[in-house]
Amino acid sequence: MASGFDDIFAELTNVNAEQVLLSERVKLLEEQLGAGGAGSGDAADEQERPVGAPVRWHDLDGEQHSLLWPRFIHWVIWVADRYEMTTDQLPRQCWWKHGAVVEELTALWTSHESAYASGQDGGAAPYLWQDALARAVERMGRFWLGACRNGQHKQRHREAPWGGDTEYLALLLDSEVPEPDADTSGPGDGDQPGPGPDNSG
């Protein structure tokens, strides 16, 4: 019989694994920045992206985008073949049309670079990357890709996008932080017996 704590321990193990991977990525990035941090004044050296550095596609200039996008595409093709992904996991015909999927894959790409950086003692990073891949593939298939199956791309149905609606943004910016509810007792607080008239409990 499973204890009620099994789920909590499993989740704590996942959180710990993610923290270890993140710590290793930060350490690697700090070492890489420290090695080239003094700066030689050479513009080409200053623009070189450290292995595993995060990529924010919308912040890249045209030159950076044209340099990184093909590398990313080749990596996605490699990982899809290497891990034998099906079209239910990553639709070949349209994955790049889903912004959230591109973000998931970009995070996997940069963390893969960190985990397998040559000359670095990655420790548990490669194993933790495998775990991150499994969770990301599940998320992509379940949340982001929706009805894209059998070679057909279908946009996710949304009533309206969150961004770009100036009236909606103005409404949110004009709103106030809600006041706490009058009843601030937590669940079950009313069930606790209080002290009796003689304070004996």
Side-chain angles (χ1 to χ4, degrees):
M1 179 171 163
S3 112
F5 292 105
D6 288 346
D7 291 339
I8 293 171
F9 289 133
E11 195 59 35
L12 286 173
T13 301
N14 286 339
V15 169
N16 185 49
E18 290 176 14
Q19 187 273 330
V20 168
L21 181 59
L22 180 62
S23 294
E24 290 180 0
R25 285 190 70 195
V26 168
K27 180 182 174 188
L28 176 66
L29 290 172
E30 286 174 343
E31 289 171 358
Q32 290 171 345
L33 290 174
S40 62
D42 184 2
D45 288 343
E46 292 175 2
Q47 290 183 358
E48 189 173 322
R49 179 181 156 268
V51 173
V55 173
R56 293 173 46 138
W57 295 109
H58 62 278
D59 288 344
L60 299 179
D61 63 29
E63 184 179 335
Q64 292 171 320
H65 190 279
S66 63
L67 178 69
L68 292 176
W69 186 253
R71 290 182 191 172
F72 171 65
I73 296 294
H74 288 289
W75 181 84
V76 171
I77 292 169
W78 172 82
V79 82
D81 285 341
R82 182 68 172 171
Y83 291 89
E84 301 176 1
M85 291 186 192
T86 66
T87 56
D88 285 341
Q89 294 169 317
L90 187 67
R92 187 175 191 269
Q93 76 284 356
C94 67
W95 64 265
W96 67 93
K97 296 179 182 179
H98 298 273
V101 172
V102 170
E103 295 300 326
E104 287 271 5
L105 290 169
T106 301
L108 284 171
W109 174 45
T110 58
S111 64
H112 183 268
E113 287 182 327
S114 291
Y116 291 93
S118 62
Q120 301 294 326
D121 178 14
Y127 174 78
L128 296 173
W129 184 85
Q130 302 293 325
D131 185 56
L133 171 68
R135 288 182 281 124
V137 167
E138 180 182 337
R139 255 192 321 270
M140 287 185 300
R142 190 175 60 213
F143 292 130
W144 310 131
L145 297 173
C148 294
R149 301 287 187 265
N150 301 321
Q152 301 296 316
H153 171 68
K154 295 183 182 174
Q155 293 288 354
R156 290 185 66 170
H157 176 71
R158 295 173 63 192
E159 295 297 321
W162 287 71
D165 184 343
T166 54
E167 290 179 27
Y168 177 69
L169 179 60
L171 173 73
L172 292 175
L173 293 174
D174 289 341
S175 65
E176 295 182 20
V177 176
E179 294 293 325
D181 293 336
D183 179 16
T184 58
S185 62
D189 286 351
D191 300 337
Q192 302 293 328
D198 60 356
N199 289 329
S200 62

